[in-house]
Amino acid sequence: MRLVIIGGGAAGMSAAAQARRTDPGLEIVVLEQSEHVSTGLCGLPYFVAGLIRDASQLVAHTPEYFRQERRIDVRTGHRVEAVNASSRTVTGNIVSSRTATGNSGGGPFELRYDRLVVATGAKPVPLDVPGADRENVFYLRTVADGIRLRASLEQGTARRAAVIGGGFIGVELAEALRRWKLDVTVIEQGGRLLPAFDPWISDLVAQELRAQGVTVLTNHTVAGLESGAVQTRQGGPVAADLTVVAVGSRPDLDLLKRARPELGRTGALAVSRQLQTSLPFVWAAGDCAESRSAVTGRAAHVPLGTVANLAGRVAGEAAAGRRTEALPLAGTYLLQVFDLAVARTGLSEAEARAHGFAPVTAGVSGPVNVPVLYGTAGDVPAFEVRLTADARTGRLLGAQLAGHRDGARRIDVAAALLTRGALVRDAAGLDLGYTPPLGVARDPLVQAAQRLLSELDVSGRR
Amino acid sequence: MRLVIIGGGAAGMSAAAQARRTDPGLEIVVLEQSEHVSTGLCGLPYFVAGLIRDASQLVAHTPEYFRQERRIDVRTGHRVEAVNASSRTVTGNIVSSRTATGNSGGGPFELRYDRLVVATGAKPVPLDVPGADRENVFYLRTVADGIRLRASLEQGTARRAAVIGGGFIGVELAEALRRWKLDVTVIEQGGRLLPAFDPWISDLVAQELRAQGVTVLTNHTVAGLESGAVQTRQGGPVAADLTVVAVGSRPDLDLLKRARPELGRTGALAVSRQLQTSLPFVWAAGDCAESRSAVTGRAAHVPLGTVANLAGRVAGEAAAGRRTEALPLAGTYLLQVFDLAVARTGLSEAEARAHGFAPVTAGVSGPVNVPVLYGTAGDVPAFEVRLTADARTGRLLGAQLAGHRDGARRIDVAAALLTRGALVRDAAGLDLGYTPPLGVARDPLVQAAQRLLSELDVSGRR
């Protein structure tokens, strides 16, 4: 019995490792087009910044580790180009010579599978403007992308950089480039940065970037890339010796074109609770596949490394023959921008409204940590938490927070509550840990829930 | 309609504030025997240590604040000595002259109530050995106790201190006294420190104390206190110019002796879900009353400031006439001992067994934070998480953790799960927040749950 896994990223290697734990006798082959498996892509901006010194630190385990310690046949340099679901084969080309069996010398390959896990991830949305193929235009999706961008920075010739796109990667890249002392401009087409967050957090992030010397342009559409400048439709050119494009990503499904699996509304692969696709004997996990929201109960697309790890485990276990299912997700995002940590989980207020809920939001801001152990009030790490609930049922729908990093992980508590379908009153009555060196007696999350509960009282629902 | 609250600590003032929010027209009287209300007793060891500089920082709000901003009639220096439930009166003595209505000149008082909240807290268990009433023997329960102990330390005459009792307060006091450069010995009657934790955590705490120069004696019973020494039954005398007794506390119920309310198995006041006692029109909250465990569903006694705040709110709301109930608690304890943070929630393995569960425990240790952003592996903050589940149902029963402070608040996630009756598989599938500067891709709590899930597989239950 052979399990083939396409893609050696977080989802693919989690699937491989869990399949091995589930069935010690299974043959497991991982086909990965790059030279790296088990990569932590979330670390790429920190590698670009130079905080992660060596690209090898982006890799949790080498192919050799998986081969020797887990008996997983990892084949790097293997680019799968098609899946034939009726013959249960994958075909592709060898783009490098590093494989488990030594020098394969390139050329096409074909491999039969009994079970298949698709973990192809996502690919960056390309910028479709004149000049987008110039030199000094970068994307940041793979380790190779990171190495290329950092090499360019290490040359030290660039002084001004443009980041096109004000989402997660764009914002993290702005910080990374600023660490190289470049003049950085973030160009965002929409009205605000980080549209996945509530507007007050977008505002705080823009404020933090500006305080750190980054120019933030919203409502600016890129018209073209020229030598030394990005042309926008709205204003003059933005001077840039170097441009990074971070306008989003989409599921990488090219190799499934002929197999025609069912896609969900989100554009990612539709999967069952067992993470099986519409194709027989084919499971999927990671950025290429949908997940299910614990709040709406519906399919969602949460392209994050944490989710890829979790879903990969489930897909590997299911493909190896054990009954299991993926649990619904809260949808938890955490981001640090210079000295500001921001996080969200569940639905934003706008999303809640779009899903037909009657959202009510309330929050508190205050210290999260050690007020009594700091000299003055000015030193107290400040934090803001806002919770959103459904006025009709009193159910918690989402949490958003921003402030000092010491408070950031409070988002996990909200995620746990959302996953378990908690009411606001459950959050308002939580006995969280407290000791003066590590927190405040009235935790801001619990306080926010208590305030939200009062708001719901007004609407007659707790 | 007059609500009387006995005790102006965390529970009493939370009750008063919430009663005011619930009913703006209610007459609210708080009777407090000391000069302080709204005190954060958890901060006392840090005041003793000198980290909290001024005793006023232990007080969240002054009596004047409550009188003026909340229209709560706070009467300090009022020691209630009896409750007459049939006549609905409380009687006592004025031990100081500070009241809302000016100088009362001392003497007895009597006050009628329509509703009563008992929030008398706990009092320290006295040490019953010869010499226990000597000078330089201290307890630490009230702000006045803290002021007295710190004044003694500021005199600078003591060089050697003994702490009798190795529970939470004893351990925190050992650290506080060490900050004054004293030679400190902790004398614990039982076989280990912090018996509320699993033994591996007790061992880590003893190790940390010893590493910081504290002498730890377990299995040592105090025989008597002499000038300059504590005599034990097991060994020679422990040299001590100053002795602090921290051998536990018990509910302070003296003033209810004649009223004869029902007590629970724990020795604290038995209360309904609405926190009503067996006496008519009398509610109770805080260290004097029981709560309910979310894990066992049974009454429990959790004498913590966090719980007092939560229960006080509920008691105040209920006494003010609104339907409400106290939610069951996880029972979350968090403690920092020098450079070691430890925490627990739910049941320890021993407690789980005593409650008739079939506990299985598994855990992981590893980094909690920013491994890629540290220079070397040695700098990575290490952490250990152990989770306990019931093998028969797969239900999560408890969590214990120890290590670097950056990981300590993970206990809150476990508390949220326990409160919501989660299975281990729920914890194993949680999508927590992740970004390289603020965590690790595979959160240790989730990893521990995944490992525990594998253990449960062996026993046939997930």
Side-chain angles (χ1 to χ4, degrees):
Chain A
M1 175 82 102
R2 180 190 290 155
L3 168 64
V4 172
I5 296 168
I6 309 177
M13 296 320 294
S14 292
Q18 186 65 8
R20 171 55 69 234
R21 283 183 209 109
T22 306
D23 182 351
L26 190 65
E27 184 190 351
I28 305 173
V29 182
V30 176
L31 302 173
E32 163 59 40
Q33 64 180 338
S34 80
E35 293 306 313
H36 306 280
V37 297
S38 186
T39 43
L41 299 182
C42 307
L44 281 175
Y46 304 92
F47 171 71
V48 170
L51 290 167
I52 296 176
R53 298 206 191 118
D54 196 273
S56 67
Q57 289 173 278
L58 294 168
V59 172
H61 296 295
T62 61
E64 289 68 33
Y65 167 86
F66 285 105
R67 286 176 202 136
Q68 286 160 23
E69 302 296 321
R70 307 286 183 103
R71 292 178 295 112
I72 293 165
D73 180 359
V74 174
R75 303 184 189 176
T76 56
H78 277 61
R79 188 171 61 213
V80 176
E81 282 157 7
V83 170
N84 188 326
S86 53
S87 66
R88 287 208 242 172
T89 53
V90 297
T91 52
N93 269 286
I94 297 170
V95 290
S96 110
S97 55
R98 293 202 210 160
T99 70
T101 49
N103 194 327
S104 302
F109 71 88
E110 182 176 43
L111 189 66
R112 203 180 180 286
Y113 63 81
D114 297 292
R115 305 270 188 272
L116 182 69
V117 172
V118 176
T120 49
K123 55 185 182 179
V125 172
L127 188 68
D128 188 19
V129 297
D133 55 353
R134 299 183 72 89
E135 231 191 319
N136 281 338
V137 177
F138 298 87
Y139 289 83
L140 191 67
R141 178 73 206 178
T142 64
V143 174
D145 290 342
I147 290 172
R148 191 172 153 253
L149 174 53
R150 179 146 139 198
S152 169
L153 292 164
E154 281 168 349
Q155 280 174 18
T157 52
R159 287 197 309 110
R160 297 157 307 181
V163 176
I164 303 176
F168 290 83
I169 305 291
V171 162
E172 288 177 342
L173 269 169
E175 179 175 350
L177 296 169
R178 199 78 190 104
R179 284 186 180 269
W180 288 90
K181 315 279 184 218
L182 270 59
D183 288 337
V184 180
T185 303
V186 176
I187 304 169
E188 164 61 39
Q189 189 164 17
R192 58 187 175 98
L193 301 177
L194 298 173
F197 283 86
D198 274 347
W200 67 279
I201 290 188
S202 299
D203 292 346
L204 285 175
V205 169
Q207 193 180 308
E208 177 68 14
L209 285 174
R210 287 180 177 131
Q212 301 283 352
V214 175
T215 303
V216 177
L217 301 178
T218 52
N219 292 313
H220 273 65
T221 313
V222 171
L225 306 186
E226 296 170 2
S227 173
V230 175
Q231 291 293 347
T232 67
R233 296 231 174 87
Q234 286 74 13
V238 174
D241 312 313
L242 179 157
T243 301
V244 194
V245 179
V247 294
S249 65
R250 61 170 71 122
D252 189 353
L253 301 173
D254 292 346
L255 60 86
L256 290 175
K257 258 180 198 144
R258 268 183 295 164
R260 296 182 147 273
E262 186 184 320
L263 303 186
R265 278 182 312 106
T266 69
L269 285 168
V271 288
S272 69
R273 293 192 178 201
Q274 293 74 34
L275 302 190
Q276 204 157 7
T277 68
S278 62
L279 304 175
F281 307 107
V282 180
W283 286 258
D287 290 2
C288 63
E290 291 189 328
S291 7
R292 193 157 43 96
S293 158
V295 183
T296 66
R298 294 198 214 156
H301 187 223
V302 186
L304 290 177
T306 45
V307 171
N309 280 331
L310 293 169
R313 268 180 78 88
V314 172
E317 192 163 316
R322 187 189 276 161
R323 273 175 70 93
T324 183
E325 70 179 51
L327 295 176
L329 302 173
T332 312
Y333 295 80
L334 178 60
L335 180 69
Q336 180 152 337
V337 188
F338 292 100
D339 296 333
L340 177 72
V342 300
R344 62 159 286 183
T345 189
L347 305 180
S348 68
E349 201 175 59
E351 288 166 349
R353 201 166 289 114
H355 275 94
F357 293 104
V360 182
T361 298
V364 296
S365 73
V368 283
N369 200 353
V370 215
V372 295
L373 303 184
Y374 281 72
T376 65
D379 293 329
V380 174
F383 213 75
E384 180 156 358
V385 181
R386 296 194 193 173
L387 299 177
T388 300
D390 182 27
R392 288 189 285 261
T393 60
R395 231 183 103 206
L396 194 63
L397 298 176
Q400 309 231 346
L401 46 83
H404 188 274
R405 54 180 287 148
D406 278 2
R409 304 219 60 112
R410 295 292 198 290
I411 201 67
D412 294 340
V413 179
L417 290 172
L418 287 171
T419 304
R420 297 293 302 156
L423 302 176
V424 177
R425 60 195 292 265
D426 297 313
L430 269 186
D431 62 314
L432 302 181
Y434 170 59
T435 181
L438 292 174
V440 290
R442 293 173 187 272
D443 189 272
L445 190 80
V446 174
Q447 273 197 60
Q450 291 172 346
R451 191 158 301 179
L452 181 51
L453 202 55
S454 310
E455 302 276 326
L456 292 176
D457 277 341
V458 174
S459 70
R461 265 301 194 169
R462 309 203 88 191
Chain B
M1 175 82 101
R2 180 191 289 156
L3 168 63
V4 172
I5 297 169
I6 310 177
M13 295 320 295
S14 292
Q18 187 66 6
R20 170 56 68 233
R21 283 184 209 107
T22 306
D23 182 352
L26 191 65
E27 183 189 351
I28 304 173
V29 182
V30 176
L31 303 172
E32 163 60 39
Q33 63 181 336
S34 80
E35 293 307 312
H36 306 282
V37 296
S38 186
T39 43
L41 299 181
C42 308
L44 281 175
Y46 304 92
F47 171 72
V48 170
L51 290 168
I52 296 176
R53 296 203 193 122
D54 196 273
S56 67
Q57 290 174 277
L58 294 168
V59 172
H61 295 294
T62 60
E64 288 67 34
Y65 167 85
F66 285 104
R67 286 177 202 135
Q68 285 160 23
E69 303 297 320
R70 307 287 184 103
R71 290 178 296 112
I72 293 166
D73 180 0
V74 175
R75 303 185 189 176
T76 57
H78 277 62
R79 187 171 64 213
V80 176
E81 283 157 6
V83 170
N84 189 326
S86 53
S87 66
R88 288 208 242 172
T89 53
V90 297
T91 53
N93 268 287
I94 297 169
V95 290
S96 107
S97 56
R98 294 202 209 160
T99 69
T101 49
N103 194 326
S104 302
F109 70 87
E110 182 176 43
L111 189 65
R112 203 177 181 286
Y113 62 80
D114 297 292
R115 305 270 188 270
L116 182 70
V117 172
V118 176
T120 50
K123 55 185 180 178
V125 173
L127 189 69
D128 188 19
V129 297
D133 54 355
R134 299 183 73 88
E135 231 191 320
N136 282 338
V137 177
F138 298 87
Y139 290 82
L140 191 66
R141 178 74 206 176
T142 62
V143 175
D145 291 342
I147 290 171
R148 191 170 153 254
L149 175 53
R150 178 146 142 201
S152 169
L153 291 164
E154 281 168 349
Q155 280 174 18
T157 53
R159 285 196 310 110
R160 300 156 306 181
V163 175
I164 302 177
F168 289 83
I169 305 292
V171 162
E172 288 178 343
L173 269 169
E175 179 175 349
L177 296 169
R178 199 79 189 104
R179 285 187 179 268
W180 288 90
K181 313 280 184 215
L182 270 60
D183 288 337
V184 179
T185 302
V186 176
I187 305 170
E188 165 60 41
Q189 189 165 17
R192 58 186 175 96
L193 303 176
L194 299 174
F197 283 87
D198 274 347
W200 68 278
I201 290 187
S202 299
D203 292 347
L204 286 175
V205 169
Q207 194 180 307
E208 177 68 15
L209 285 174
R210 287 181 177 128
Q212 301 282 353
V214 174
T215 303
V216 177
L217 301 177
T218 52
N219 292 312
H220 274 65
T221 313
V222 172
L225 305 186
E226 296 170 2
S227 173
V230 175
Q231 291 293 346
T232 68
R233 296 231 174 89
Q234 285 76 13
V238 174
D241 312 314
L242 177 157
T243 301
V244 193
V245 180
V247 296
S249 65
R250 61 170 69 122
D252 190 353
L253 302 174
D254 293 347
L255 61 86
L256 291 174
K257 256 180 199 145
R258 268 183 294 166
R260 296 182 146 274
E262 187 185 319
L263 302 187
R265 279 180 314 104
T266 70
L269 285 168
V271 288
S272 69
R273 294 190 178 201
Q274 293 74 33
L275 302 190
Q276 203 157 6
T277 69
S278 63
L279 304 174
F281 307 107
V282 180
W283 288 257
D287 290 1
C288 64
E290 291 189 329
S291 8
R292 193 156 44 98
S293 158
V295 183
T296 66
R298 294 198 215 156
H301 187 223
V302 186
L304 290 176
T306 44
V307 171
N309 280 331
L310 293 170
R313 269 180 78 88
V314 172
E317 192 162 317
R322 187 189 276 162
R323 273 174 71 92
T324 183
E325 70 179 51
L327 294 176
L329 301 173
T332 310
Y333 294 80
L334 178 61
L335 180 68
Q336 180 152 338
V337 188
F338 291 101
D339 296 333
L340 178 72
V342 299
R344 62 159 287 183
T345 188
L347 304 180
S348 68
E349 200 174 59
E351 289 166 350
R353 201 166 288 114
H355 276 94
F357 293 105
V360 182
T361 297
V364 297
S365 74
V368 282
N369 200 354
V370 215
V372 295
L373 302 184
Y374 280 73
T376 66
D379 294 328
V380 173
F383 213 76
E384 181 157 357
V385 180
R386 295 194 193 173
L387 298 177
T388 300
D390 182 26
R392 288 189 285 261
T393 59
R395 229 183 104 205
L396 194 64
L397 298 176
Q400 308 229 347
L401 46 84
H404 188 275
R405 55 180 286 149
D406 278 1
R409 303 218 61 112
R410 296 290 198 291
I411 202 67
D412 294 339
V413 179
L417 290 173
L418 287 170
T419 304
R420 297 290 304 156
L423 302 175
V424 178
R425 61 195 293 264
D426 296 313
L430 270 186
D431 63 314
L432 302 181
Y434 169 59
T435 181
L438 292 175
V440 290
R442 294 173 186 273
D443 189 273
L445 190 81
V446 174
Q447 273 196 61
Q450 290 172 346
R451 191 158 300 179
L452 182 50
L453 202 55
S454 310
E455 302 275 327
L456 293 176
D457 278 340
V458 175
S459 70
R461 265 303 193 167
R462 308 205 87 189

